[in-house]
Amino acid sequence: MSPPQADPAARRTAWHESLERLRASATTEPGRLRIIGAVLAALLVAFGAVTVWQVTDRATAADAVVGHSQPLSADAADIYRSLADADTAAAGGFLAGGQEPRAVRQRYEKDIALASRLLVKAAANTDASDPAGPQIAKLNEQLPVYTGLVESARVNNRQGLPLGGAYLRYASERMREELLPAARALYETETGRLGSDYGHAKALPWPAFATGVIAIGALGWAQRRNYLRTHRVLNHGLLASTAAATVLLLWLVVGHGLARAGLSDSYEHGARSLQVLNQARIAALQARGDESLTLVARGAVLTPDGSDAYEASYRQGMRKLVGGDGVASSAPGEGSLLERARSLADGSAGRDPVAGAIEGVREWQQRHRDARASDDSGYYERALPKVIGEKGSTGESFDRVDTGLRRALAQEQGEFRQAADDGRGALAGLTVGAVVLAVLGAAGAVLGIGRRLSEYR
């Protein structure tokens, strides 16, 4: 036999009776007080719950800025820099002839190893739907092709065969047309992720603010109602509940304000500066590679207007770095990478390395003009030591620029970490505090209303 079914009419009658009893109780003062107490307690519990949700959400995003998206953005910049530096080292080693300097060879191998290791790390932090996935796959696919071409160029160069120059030019083209664009796209993807995490971490917790204001407003109304009916100024339970809700709201406002200020500072004086310095260092590396390839190609690669393609690319890199015509500059132009890096730096510890890099670029440009004058006049053997020599060469000036930018990056990385840690630290303890204060507030509201109810017994 099937179990007996409840009569729908009976269910409707029971529901109707419950509603009637609730309506009847609301017509009496004790009933109204019970409803008010329940609503106040529910509002305070809701305030605590929404605060915990909002703070946890912001804290998670702030942790992602420090522990995930910014390190991945820095790794992507290091992949780009390592690839550009490897190309520069390969060209420099080729210019030295069959006996490639050991230091140059080690620099190239170190760059390739670093790029490979960081690509493995990036792949481990990427899932199938991640927009960075295609760039990582392309880099992993093209890097062995590039290193194979460089090895072919090196073998032919040791044997004195002109084919080595062609292999090196083809390897450099592969680097510039395949690897570096993929590395730049990866960097832009990770930088976009960093910006998204920043925006999420700094978003104002409007639901928590609104719930807190409503809860405090309801408590104020309840106390005013109590005063009008009893002429008693204070209800200790409701007063304690109001104090707990007010403390929690103020804690939320101040804590989030401090977190927002710290994160904003870490972006303006850390992450943003790091982005500009990374771009400047990459531009310097590419300009150095172009300078070396100008001597390797010996005019074999031309622009549509018939000028040397690598020399034109060198000047373009210099324009990015310091502005002007890319040939000479007395001071970095407005909007140039080094001018922006100098304006974003804080204090002498941040500005001095950038100033050293600017002086290095000025010296580099002067020595480059001298080397080009020798080469254009047909004195290749005189131009070569002016580019790759140990003393008085453009290579020495480039090292000065790269060292200054590396020091500036280390300084700004420290500034970023300190400001970001201060920002996320401002939210510490707020979730636990929200739970405790919400429970205390709800208990205070129940006790305060219970005190009034006891007067009717």
Side-chain angles (χ1 to χ4, degrees), residues 7 10 52 81 86 127 135 147 209 215 257 308 328 347 396:
D7 184 4
V52 169
R81 183 203 61 77
D127 55 35
Q135 284 80 36
T147 55
F209 289 162
D308 188 290
E396 184 183 34

Side-chain angles (χ1 to χ4, degrees), residues 345-409:
D346 288 326
S348 60
R351 286 191 292 268
D352 288 350
V354 179
I358 292 171
E359 288 298 320
V361 169
R362 185 179 295 115
E363 179 185 73
W364 182 2
Q365 290 178 318
Q366 293 170 352
R367 291 177 176 179
H368 177 82
R369 289 199 305 274
D370 189 23
R372 292 309 313 145
S374 297
D375 189 37
D376 291 341
S377 300
Y379 298 107
Y380 175 83
E381 297 301 327
R382 294 182 186 177
L384 192 60
K386 294 178 181 180
V387 174
I388 65 172
E390 293 184 3
K391 296 293 183 181
S393 67
T394 60
E396 184 183 34
S397 300
F398 163 75
D399 286 340
R400 180 181 176 186
V401 174
D402 193 59
T403 299
L405 293 175
R406 187 169 63 250
R407 287 175 53 207
L409 279 165

Side-chain angles (χ1 to χ4, degrees), residues 211-381:
T211 308
V213 170
I214 291 172
I216 292 174
L219 285 165
W221 172 84
Q223 291 176 87
R224 183 175 182 275
R225 181 181 185 277
N226 181 63
Y227 170 73
L228 292 176
R229 290 178 177 272
T230 65
H231 298 289
R232 296 170 185 165
V233 177
L234 297 179
N235 179 295
H236 294 96
L238 293 178
L239 186 63
S241 181
T242 304
T246 302
V247 169
L248 178 54
L249 183 60
L250 289 175
W251 191 355
L252 176 63
V253 171
V254 174
H256 189 271
L258 292 175
R260 186 182 175 92
L263 290 169
S264 295
D265 189 55
S266 74
Y267 178 77
E268 291 297 330
H269 302 287
R272 188 177 169 199
S273 183
L274 287 170
Q275 292 172 14
V276 173
L277 287 168
N278 278 319
Q279 292 172 17
R281 197 175 182 199
I282 289 166
L285 285 165
Q286 290 180 329
R288 175 59 179 167
D290 289 325
E291 184 179 50
S292 299
L293 285 168
T294 301
L295 293 178
V296 173
R298 305 291 295 275
V301 183
L302 303 176
T303 62
D305 63 3
S307 59
D308 188 290
Y310 293 119
E311 175 65 15
S313 183
Y314 162 84
R315 294 186 181 187
Q316 182 182 11
M318 284 294 163
R319 284 193 293 272
K320 290 180 182 178
L321 275 174
V322 291
D325 58 4
V327 178
S329 63
S330 57
E334 185 177 354
S336 65
L337 290 171
L338 289 181
E339 173 58 29
R340 289 166 59 195
R342 184 169 61 181
S343 66
L344 289 170
D346 288 326
S348 60
R351 286 191 292 268
D352 288 350
V354 179
I358 292 171
E359 288 298 320
V361 169
R362 185 179 295 115
E363 179 185 73
W364 182 2
Q365 290 178 318
Q366 293 170 352
R367 291 177 176 179
H368 177 82
R369 289 199 305 274
D370 189 23
R372 292 309 313 145
S374 297
D375 189 37
D376 291 341
S377 300
Y379 298 107
Y380 175 83
E381 297 301 327

